[in-house]
Amino acid sequence: MNLNIAILPGDGIGPEITEQAVKVLEAIAQKFNHQFNFNYAEVGGAAIEKTGNPLPEETLNICKESDAILFGAIGDFKYDNDPDAKIRPEQGLLKLRKDLGLYANIRPTAAYEPLIHKSPIKEKVIKGTDFLIFRELTGGIYFGDKSTSADRRSAQDDCAYTAAEVDRITHLAFKKAKSRKRKLTLVDKANILETSRLWRRRAKEIAKEYPEVTLEFLFADTASMQLILNPRQFDVILTDNMFGDILSDEASVISGSIGLASSASIGDHYAMFEPVHGSFPKAKGKNVANPLATILSAAMLLEHFDLHEEAEALRQAVEKSIELQITTPDINSNEIHHTNDVGEFISDYIIDKKSSLYNAENIDLGQSTII
Ligand code: IPM
Ligand code: MG
């Protein structure tokens, strides 16, 4: 297959982690005889520095001309600590999601066997967890009208949804649930919010088209508790933009680190793959950031193009790196492995299992020729 992939490294650790994911995609291309072309473009703080715009027109065009987009991370202290900044890196990501119509953000959570003991949650609670969050990504409070009064003593963010916005992601979530454990949980605050009541009405209506799927409802506050108390009860969670943002960070604790949380942002015409985590500016350039979330997002990219065998090979290599503890400090306090060691091991393992394992042993002995 020939794929043009836009690479948007962004800020902070973004460039380091996307570099590893590109390496891994190159290994997949080599192993399975595909042609992947990578087109780099600026976004976020990096783009503001150069052009004054967090999403330059050129970047948007590169994305539109590509088959898929792989996104790193954006954000910087400089803007986080300045509530008055008019131009912010995050605007680049939000505009990208909106302009490309990426309305469904799919965020998987699974408990990795070798990491179960690393989670602050008890093993018996998280073992066997496997659910997906379908987060609506182009509506709600993120995109509603915003205002601050002239005296700057009051501010407002509107939350709005239309039935059409709710319906399209609800159908996707039902279809997915139908192919899995056939349970869909809608998370909202229907006891308080009008928008949530719209979500419930639409979900109930659409449920009639998917009689094999059980539809359940949970308030977001209860859901945040249930996610930790009994995560195995979930199969597919459907929720709005804001609740999805919050719950997916919480869910990452189950896997052992947010550095493992991957995602796919899907629309009718474009698809983007991005880690759930942020730009971790403190770690920028230190070669310690976990590249697995971006690498696993690349696996979602492969699956999007029905390259299932390739995605499986990638996932197996990731699992091997976790099993052998060729992982970064967030999930490995025993040995020191850097961001690029992880990317190298995974791409080597994809190409040639045997010699990568030999190299890995030598890395541990400090004798490898590749470090
Ligand atoms: C995410 C991030 C983004 C969001 C930020 C960086 C704008 O937290 O993808 O979850 O809030 O959607
Ligand atoms: Mg978030």
Side-chain angles (χ1 to χ4, degrees):
M1 186 179 278
N2 194 338
L3 284 181
N4 289 317
I5 304 172
I7 305 288
L8 273 51
D11 305 325
I13 58 167
E16 298 157 57
I17 53 173
T18 39
E19 192 185 323
Q20 307 316 312
V22 168
K23 218 182 265 175
V24 169
L25 284 171
E26 273 168 347
I28 291 285
Q30 185 182 329
K31 176 84 181 178
F32 293 88
N33 273 318
H34 298 301
Q35 170 89 37
F36 297 160
N37 310 309
F38 301 105
N39 310 311
Y40 286 81
E42 306 269 5
V43 70
I48 299 176
E49 298 296 317
K50 278 205 183 151
T51 66
N53 180 353
L55 182 66
E57 204 56 30
E58 194 195 329
T59 300
L60 191 58
N61 289 338
I62 289 177
C63 292
K64 285 185 174 167
E65 283 157 13
S66 302
D67 300 302
I69 304 146
L70 187 69
F71 187 93
I74 47 153
D76 192 82
F77 292 137
K78 191 169 136 189
Y79 305 93
D80 293 348
N81 299 336
D82 178 7
D84 292 324
K86 287 260 173 326
I87 300 174
R88 320 183 67 88
E90 289 77 6
Q91 292 160 347
L93 178 55
L94 297 192
K95 187 166 183 330
L96 198 56
R97 290 172 176 170
K98 191 75 172 177
D99 287 6
L100 299 180
L102 306 172
Y103 58 82
N105 180 226
I106 302 147
R107 300 187 156 182
T109 297
Y112 287 89
E113 207 62 41
L115 290 180
I116 284 186
H117 64 285
K118 296 257 153 74
S119 172
I121 310 169
K122 287 197 183 78
E123 175 168 353
K124 67 172 199 286
V125 174
I126 58 173
K127 210 174 162 102
T129 296
D130 174 16
F131 62 81
L132 297 173
I133 297 178
F134 272 63
R135 168 190 177 192
E136 201 289 329
L137 203 59
T138 53
I141 198 165
Y142 270 60
F143 291 94
D145 289 341
K146 298 175 190 304
S147 61
T148 299
S149 64
D151 66 3
R152 302 166 79 75
R153 295 189 54 80
S154 75
Q156 195 171 331
D157 294 281
D158 286 348
C159 180
Y161 270 111
T162 64
E165 285 174 318
V166 174
D167 290 4
R168 58 190 181 179
I169 185 170
T170 302
H171 276 290
L172 287 186
F174 265 112
K175 282 189 187 126
K176 192 49 140 185
K178 193 174 156 184
S179 73
R180 290 172 48 101
K181 291 176 271 174
R182 296 193 292 279
K183 184 171 159 187
L184 182 65
T185 308
L186 176 65
V187 171
D188 61 24
K189 277 294 277 185
N191 49 345
I192 305 291
L193 303 175
E194 281 301 328
T195 46
S196 291
R197 292 192 267 270
L198 173 69
W199 277 83
R200 278 207 188 193
R201 265 198 308 276
R202 297 307 309 153
K204 276 187 173 173
E205 188 61 32
I206 292 169
K208 293 177 191 157
E209 295 174 45
Y210 304 89
E212 33 319 70
V213 178
T214 308
L215 173 65
E216 290 186 354
F217 303 103
L218 266 188
F219 295 139
D221 45 356
T222 314
S224 72
M225 179 178 66
Q226 288 298 329
L227 216 57
I228 298 300
L229 278 180
N230 178 14
R232 265 194 308 269
Q233 71 182 286
F234 296 111
D235 178 20
V236 177
I237 293 173
L238 170 64
T239 192
D240 79 1
N241 205 342
M242 180 71 125
F243 296 141
D245 178 46
I246 296 167
L247 290 179
S248 55
D249 270 32
E250 188 191 356
S252 76
V253 177
I254 295 169
S255 316
S257 167
I258 196 162
L260 290 163
S262 57
S263 91
S265 303
I266 309 290
D268 293 332
H269 306 290
Y270 302 101
M272 181 160 92
F273 301 84
E274 45 175 323
V276 170
H277 61 69
S279 61
F280 195 13
K282 258 195 203 156
K284 178 183 176 168
K286 294 198 175 136
N287 204 12
V288 295
N290 192 342
L292 291 183
T294 318
I295 292 173
L296 289 166
S297 300
M300 297 182 87
L301 182 157
L302 295 170
E303 241 147 35
H304 181 73
F305 293 100
D306 283 329
L307 300 175
H308 300 294
E309 202 189 328
E310 290 81 344
E312 188 48 35
L314 192 164
R315 290 215 168 92
Q316 272 178 17
V318 167
E319 275 161 26
K320 200 69 186 177
S321 81
I322 292 174
E323 185 191 318
L324 296 177
Q325 296 199 42
I326 303 177
T327 42
T328 44
D330 53 322
I331 48 173
N332 183 358
S333 47
N334 301 333
E335 297 161 56
I336 299 173
H337 291 297
H338 292 105
T339 309
N340 68 319
D341 296 331
V342 178
E344 255 148 51
F345 171 77
I346 291 171
S347 43
D348 287 354
Y349 189 83
I350 288 167
I351 292 170
D352 179 358
K353 285 188 186 154
K354 272 206 193 113
S355 69
S356 69
L357 291 174
Y358 172 77
N359 272 336
E361 266 172 33
N362 286 341
I363 288 178
D364 287 342
L365 294 172
Q367 293 170 354
S368 169
T369 49
I370 61 163
I371 53 170

